[in-house]
Amino acid sequence: MSVSPIVIKVGGALLDDTAAMTRLFLSVKDVQATRPVVVVHGGGPLVETLMASLGLQSTKIDGLRVTPDEHMPYICGALAGSANKQLCAAALASGLTPVGLSLLDGNMVVCEPLADQYGAVGVPSTADASFLKSVLAQSTLPVISSIGSSPQGRLLNVNADQAATVIAELLNAELLLLSNVDGVLDGDKLLISELNAASILKYADEGVITDGMKVKVDAALASAENLGRAVYIASWAADINDILNKRTGTQILPSALTNTPSKNADLPHTDFTKGNAGEVQ
């Protein structure tokens, strides 16, 4: 690939907004004319609904879903099945050629269990990019669910932001983390245009960045450091070119691009967490 791909992560709440899906995929179609695009998705609301209908308790620790192994058949069905195919169908209706995948397909990504307390929750790392690159070379749109596997074949549930991060690392791609919020908000519910490691720590210590958004920001910062480029947190309602041209969203800057502290880092903030809850499957 002669140009850098774009990896776009979308939260599962997008599935409840047909109009938003259509807008997003039309924007993807416009961008795909000049650059390869990959979509990585979660499916938190779909999983929550399924767990409730089955009478299965669903809990989270620090924004990450605790996933007993006996729940994985249902979570796989929700994420790699229903959520993935709904997104693929919406992409198809927008004139794209989607290919539904999961992290484990083509040995793209290998996962290891996070910790016993989380159950079948995986930590992803890059493996082999050749399969995904061959799919992109056919001008298709890979739509990748956040279901992974250990080398021993244990299915693992991966946080979708971390899944998108590892795919971006695999392709040396630009990364957009899109959800139903405009970006990272400060204590006054105002959009923060830029964050770096120091300002992220400050906001976290003040209780402004918490829970799912903390997971999202940490994943974005790790990817920014590994890729040596900014990672974007923005709304799926925004035009992709507007995000890339810094007209909306929050940029997470790596150390290599940080010459001075973020212009927002020293501003006073009140305790506000609701707008930064994020979406974690």
Side-chain angles (χ1 to χ4, degrees), residues 25 83-93 96 98-101 141-143:
F25 284 123
N84 188 270
K85 297 317 166 192
Q86 286 183 51
L87 287 167
C88 285
L92 189 66
L96 295 159
V99 177
L101 301 169
L141 175 69
V143 180

Side-chain angles (χ1 to χ4, degrees), residues 36-168:
V37 179
V38 177
V39 172
V40 179
H41 67 88
L46 197 63
V47 171
E48 293 283 2
T49 300
L50 179 61
M51 292 293 102
S53 69
L54 295 171
L56 299 175
Q57 184 177 6
S58 180
T59 61
K60 292 182 180 180
I61 300 175
D62 298 327
L64 290 174
R65 186 180 306 281
V66 176
T67 307
D69 283 282
E70 56 268 26
H71 290 186
M72 279 305 294
Y74 310 112
I75 291 175
C76 283
L79 296 181
S82 297
N84 188 270
K85 297 317 166 192
Q86 286 183 51
L87 287 167
C88 285
L92 189 66
S94 298
L96 295 159
T97 305
V99 177
L101 301 169
S102 295
L103 295 175
L104 57 89
D105 291 321
N107 194 33
M108 294 185 290
V109 173
V110 64
C111 300
E112 293 291 347
L114 174 59
D116 288 344
Q117 64 178 330
Y118 293 99
V121 171
V123 177
S125 58
T126 58
D128 188 348
S130 58
F131 170 72
L132 185 55
K133 287 181 177 180
S134 70
V135 173
L136 287 171
Q138 300 176 60
S139 299
T140 59
L141 175 69
V143 180
I144 304 175
S145 76
S146 54
I147 295 296
S149 174
S150 72
Q152 295 76 33
R154 182 188 183 189
L155 289 173
L156 296 169
N157 186 20
V158 177
N159 170 266
D161 293 321
Q162 294 170 354
T165 295
V166 78
I167 293 296

Side-chain angles (χ1 to χ4, degrees), residues 184-192:
V184 186
L185 307 179
D186 68 11
D188 297 315
K189 305 184 184 181
L190 299 176
L191 184 66
I192 305 169

Side-chain angles (χ1 to χ4, degrees), residues 6-10 38 40 161 164 168 173-179 230-235 238-241 243-244:
I6 300 171
V7 172
I8 299 172
K9 182 267 176 177
V10 296
V38 177
V40 179
D161 293 321
E174 290 200 84
L175 176 60
L176 281 60
L177 302 177
L178 306 186
S179 67
V231 171
Y232 305 84
I233 296 176
S235 170
D239 184 88
I240 294 170
N241 283 314
I243 298 170
L244 294 174

